Every structure is written in C-alpha cells, then in structure tokens.
Amino acid sequence: MHELIRDITLCILFAWMLGLLAHFSRQPLILAYLIAGFCIGPFGAGWVKSQESISVISELGLIFMLFMIGLEIDLKKIVRAGKVILFAAGGQLLGGCLLGVLFFVGIGLSLGGGHFDAIYLCVACALSSTVIIVKVLYEKRELDTLPGRITLGVLVLQDIFAILFLAVQPSLANLQVSVILLSIGRVAVLVAAALLVSRYVLPRLFHQIARRPELILLGALAWCFLVAETAERLSLSREMGALIAGVSLSTFPYALDVTAKVTTLRDFFITLFFVALGMTIPVPGLSVIGLALMIAAFTVVSRLITTFIPLYLMKQGLRASLLPALNLAQISEFSLVVIQTGIADHHIAPETANAASFAFVVLAVLSTFVMTRSDEITRWMIGPLKRIGLRDLDHGSGHAEEAHGGGHGEARRIVILGFFRAASALLAEIERQTPVLLEQITVVDFNPNVYQTLLSRGLHVIYGDISNVDTLLHAGVGKSEMIILSVPDSLLKGATNEKLVRHVRALNPTALIVATADLLADVGELYGAGASYVTVTRLSDAHELFTVIEAAQAGLLADKRAELDQRLGERREVLP
C-alpha cells in the first residue's frame, strides 16, 4: 500500500514538471505525461517497478477517462447531425478500417488465430484525438466554422464507433454471430437500464442534494463505479461500464453540474492513466520505430483520402473538404484505450502496442503543428488539386448560375467581402427594409453552405478566398462603388481587415470601403490604410445593452422583449 502511494506521488510530480515544460513549448500535455511515465518506469530510471501499481493506476485512470468521455457525448447532437457529417464520418470510419485491414495485413501483421494486431491497429488509426483537436480549434476560434463543426461531428461519431468496438472486443477470439449478438445484447440491456435509472431515478435524487456539492460528486462517482462493476458481472469490461455510465448521465438535467465537479478528479486520474501507459513503453528498437512510422504515415494518408473524398463528393468545395481531413490526421487518446484493452486480453503483441504509442506521440506533435498552419497548407494544396482536374465550387459558375442570380460575372455596386453573422444580419435587415437593394449586392466567400444558400435565394454570390488578391481582381471589385468588410480580424483566415482595405484600395481608388475593427486602436490604422468608414461592433452592442437597462428601470423590459421577438420572427437569415 505504501509503495502504491509512493508510486502515485512520483507519477504526479513528474507529470507536473514535464507538463510545465510542454506548456511553455506549446506541446500536448498528453505527450508530457507519456514521457514522464517512461522516465520513472521500469524501462527508464526504474523508480516505479511494481507491475501491480502500474496496473491499478492505469485501470483507475482508464475508468475515469471513459466516464468523462461518456459525459461529453451529446446524443442530441448526434441525432441532429446533418447528412454531410454523417456521410463524412461513415466514409472516414468504414474507409479507414477497410484500408487499415488491407495495409496492416499487407505488411505482415496477424488478423486471426488469437492475435488481432491488424484489427486493433485499423480501429486505433480510424480514431482522432478529441483533446488535441478541440484545444487547437478553440485557440484558433474555429470551433463554430463549417470545417470546425464537421470535424467535431466526425469526432462524436468516432466515439460511438469506438463504443461499438469495445462491446464486441472481448469476443474477438470467438467471433461468431451468436457471440456478437450476445455481447451486443448485454450492452443493450446495460445501456437501457442505465438510461432508465438516469432518466427517472437519478434526477430526483440529485435534485434533493443539489445544494451539497460533495454529495453531487460522490453520487456521480458511485454511479460510475456501480455501472462499471455491473458491466464486469455481465462479462463486459469495467471500462465499458464507465463509458455507459457517462453517456447515460450526459442526457440528464444535472450533467453540466456533474461534469464541472468531476473534471478536476478526471484530470487527476487521466494524468495517472497516461503516466502509467508511458511506464509500459520500452526503449524502442529499430523494428518498433519502423512500424510506428508506418502507422503514422498510414494514418495521415488514409485520413486525407477517407475524409476528403466524402466531403468533396458532397460538394463542400476543396477548402472545406481539406481542412477537416487535416484536423483529423492523428491518433486518438481513445485509440490508446482500445490498444490497452487488447493488451489486457492478450489480443495484440506488446511490440505492436508500443509502436502504436510511439505513432501517437509522433502524430500528436506533427498534427498540432499542421493544425495551427492548416489555412496556409490548404491554400498550398488547392492549386495542385485543381491542376490534376479536381473542380472547386467556383468552376464553371457562369451562365447556368447567372440565370439564378449567382455565378461569377462582375461584382455589383455593393460588395460584401466575407460572410459571417454580421453579414447575415445585414442581408436580413436589407430584405426587411429595402429588398430591391439585394439586386445590387454581391457576396464573396468560401463557405459552401453560404454559397449554396445565397444562390438558392437568387442573390449574386462568388465563391472565393477574399485573402487572395486574384479573387478580388477576378471578381471585379475594382469597379464596385461600396465594399463592406464585416468579418472581424479574429475570424479572418490569411488576412486582416487592414490588409484587405489596402488590397481593395489599390484595386479601386474611388470606392467607399466600410471595415470592421476589433480593437479601438485598430480604427486609426484602418483609416490610414484607406477605409472610408470603420464600424466598431462593441459600440453598437453597448448602445443596445444600455437601452435594455433603461427599459428595465422603466418597467418596460417585457415590451422590449416582445418587440425583439417580433423582429426575430420576421428575419430570414442565412446563418441563424
């Protein structure tokens, strides 16, 4: 017991020290935890040698990790997922697994006879890292963009795929239809029971203890371990039970409260899991390094193929098809969970598992670098793809679309460069007050949903990247009378409002240019670049909030809300 406490102390101490180093060098924390485990484990300094300690630490961390993954799976979002996301995720998962089996069997890995290295690797390589992707997209403010939403939708469906595999995984050695059906039946019974209890019993209990945070936390943990132990009794795994416990709680009213209270404990045990995983990684030989590099290369290539092609066939355009493929090009922390279940059941060779862990490390570093520069990489890739014959949404958009008000042609009197919520609100306001003005407006943007929606409404829209001067030139911006830049710098890709103003002013010396400033300090720079007028969104927001305060003090807040509700009901925005 004392040895276990000492081992946990070493785990946390080294995880913290290397975590600080990873933070300052902008590397994934998971990478730091794996290296910390290697340093103190039996293959490093040897300070933690007890296999029992490593096993206990790892299993506890794994149970908490899967419980939290389950809590974060939003079943409602899955139900509401659009056909683009469903088609993209289905193509990526099925295509990735098919290519994986062919590739890994082709390089000599086993597929049966009690050894399922090829199956575990193809499943592991089909999953992408939620931790890395969400962190980078959040920092880049791209979670709410079209490629960001597609990426997150695919991640959620990948989690569902992993759950289904974990349900079948214990029966791989005896893979018969009856055995598979029995495993799925057990999972169905456990899921149904967990959902019923979390729907009709737990809310009443949690409502009674809502003001006692320690009981909320204790109740969530009790539920996690109860379902985990029940799963073990049903010949499933505790890890599978923890995942089901999390999913069942994700739908009930106190899910956010539970998540907030369990997060700190979750981080503690997840840290222990990855440190314990690092302890099991030996100093790699050339064969392990070679296999790791092949796994990493296959993951990147297969993700580009299986994600890009479905999105491209769904007419999302080259950019919106490439960005999710680049975002998803790494191995998931969930993949390491899948590999560890295979190790526990002796389904996969230790050398293969070690190679998968090294591939995870390599891709964690590379994908972070690639995602932070994904816009530049995408622009670099679009040219060669067009030259080999792949058509973007701007191809052949002449006569047929002109008949519907769309297509290229020359930009009209008023041009909106970039289309996000402010531009969507502007068009709705114009439609409400002066609809005839819509015939004088051109929108230039590279969001395929915006492009198709505006075309269907009879508006003149040009598909293109506004940060590219050639796009502005070919769109005929030089002959327009007014150019509106409504997208703030924080959301622009490959440009700033100042650069765009300079480009537009060089093309059109006489146009009225309306730009948007994020900061008050930007206003003077935009005027210096050639802007005719600069809007500062925070000022209009402040004015609106002040009128709300005045209405509340006068007892007229209900009237103001009714007025707003009426205005919202009359609007028909492209981006709701």
Side-chain angles (χ1 to χ4, degrees), residues 450-492:
V450 166
Y451 179 74
Q452 297 294 345
T453 303
L454 291 178
L455 277 182
S456 67
R457 293 191 181 185
L459 287 157
H460 186 254
V461 54
I462 295 173
Y463 181 86
D465 182 356
I466 62 172
S467 68
N468 190 326
V469 179
D470 288 339
T471 298
L472 305 180
L473 182 63
H474 294 144
V477 169
K479 298 180 180 179
S480 299
E481 297 178 18
M482 176 179 283
I483 293 97
I484 299 173
L485 310 174
S486 64
V487 181
D489 286 347
S490 58
L491 297 173
L492 284 173

Side-chain angles (χ1 to χ4, degrees), residues 409-418 442-444 460 462 465-466 468-485 500-501 503-513:
E410 283 200 350
R412 297 182 178 176
R413 191 169 71 86
I414 301 173
V415 178
I416 300 175
L417 293 182
T442 291
V443 174
V444 184
H460 186 254
I462 295 173
D465 182 356
I466 62 172
N468 190 326
V469 179
D470 288 339
T471 298
L472 305 180
L473 182 63
H474 294 144
V477 169
K479 298 180 180 179
S480 299
E481 297 178 18
M482 176 179 283
I483 293 97
I484 299 173
L485 310 174
L500 287 174
V501 168
H503 291 160
V504 172
R505 181 57 72 205
L507 293 173
N508 193 330
T510 61
L512 297 174
I513 302 175

Side-chain angles (χ1 to χ4, degrees), residues 48-380:
V48 177
K49 297 179 180 178
S50 170
Q51 292 300 318
E52 185 177 351
S53 289
I54 295 172
S55 176
V56 170
I57 292 170
S58 178
E59 186 168 10
L60 276 173
L62 195 52
I63 286 173
F64 272 96
M65 181 175 174
L66 288 171
F67 179 55
M68 291 305 297
I69 287 174
L71 273 175
E72 292 168 2
I73 292 176
D74 193 334
L75 295 177
K76 294 177 182 177
K77 286 186 178 179
I78 296 172
V79 172
R80 293 197 303 265
K83 64 178 182 179
V84 170
I85 292 175
L86 292 173
F87 192 72
Q92 184 263 309
L93 289 168
L94 295 176
C97 287
L98 179 60
L99 290 176
V101 169
L102 294 174
F103 177 78
F104 292 120
V105 171
I107 63 174
L109 295 180
S110 54
L111 186 62
H115 300 286
F116 305 99
D117 298 58
I119 290 179
Y120 277 90
L121 283 184
C122 81
V123 171
C125 290
L127 306 176
S128 304
S129 173
T130 302
V131 172
I132 294 172
I133 291 171
V134 171
K135 177 178 181 292
V136 177
L137 290 183
Y138 176 78
E139 290 176 350
K140 293 180 67 182
R141 300 189 182 187
E142 291 184 5
L143 285 172
D144 198 32
T145 63
L146 176 64
R149 290 196 299 272
I150 292 173
T151 301
L152 295 180
V154 172
L155 284 174
V156 171
L157 292 169
Q158 284 181 355
D159 288 342
I160 300 298
F161 171 76
I163 293 171
L164 295 175
F165 178 76
L166 288 178
V168 176
Q169 176 267 335
S171 307
L172 278 180
N174 185 27
L175 205 59
Q176 301 174 2
V177 174
S178 58
V179 174
I180 294 174
L181 291 177
L182 181 61
S183 297
I184 294 175
R186 288 170 177 163
V187 173
V189 168
L190 187 60
V191 168
L195 288 175
L196 286 172
V197 172
S198 67
R199 176 70 183 271
Y200 297 106
V201 179
L202 292 183
R204 296 180 182 180
L205 290 175
F206 276 76
H207 178 72
Q208 297 297 321
I209 60 174
R211 296 185 180 180
R212 302 293 298 272
E214 65 275 17
L215 286 180
I216 290 280
L217 174 60
L218 193 60
L221 297 180
W223 176 246
C224 170
F225 283 101
L226 173 63
V227 180
E229 197 58 35
T230 303
E232 181 74 11
R233 301 293 180 184
L234 289 173
S235 300
L236 299 169
S237 63
R238 289 187 177 93
E239 293 80 7
M240 182 73 188
L243 190 64
I244 292 171
V247 172
S248 65
L249 283 188
S250 70
T251 59
F252 97 133
Y254 296 92
L256 288 176
D257 197 32
V258 170
T259 302
K261 290 179 172 59
V262 178
T263 295
T264 304
L265 199 59
R266 179 273 316 259
D267 292 340
F268 174 75
F269 281 103
I270 285 180
T271 300
L272 289 182
F273 167 71
F274 284 110
V275 173
L277 182 60
M279 294 180 198
T280 65
I281 301 175
V283 178
L286 289 177
S287 61
V288 171
I289 293 175
L291 179 57
L293 292 177
M294 283 193 284
I295 293 171
F298 167 78
T299 301
V300 173
V301 173
S302 66
R303 196 74 88 252
L304 286 172
I305 293 172
T306 59
T307 306
F308 173 80
I309 291 176
L311 289 171
Y312 181 75
L313 293 176
M314 293 286 287
K315 300 187 184 303
Q316 296 303 295
L318 293 177
R319 182 181 182 275
S321 301
L322 282 170
L323 280 175
L326 293 174
N327 292 341
L328 294 164
Q330 75 284 120
I331 293 176
S332 172
E333 54 279 352
F334 211 156
S335 299
L336 301 182
V337 173
V338 170
I339 294 291
Q340 286 303 299
T341 60
I343 287 285
D345 290 337
H346 308 289
H347 287 169
I348 182 173
E351 294 79 11
T352 306
N354 293 335
S357 298
F358 277 108
F360 170 84
V361 171
V362 170
L363 290 175
V365 176
L366 289 179
S367 67
T368 302
F369 174 82
V370 168
M371 286 182 66
T372 54
R373 293 161 179 80
S374 58
D375 293 296
E376 302 97 284
I377 294 171
T378 301
R379 288 189 180 91
W380 175 79

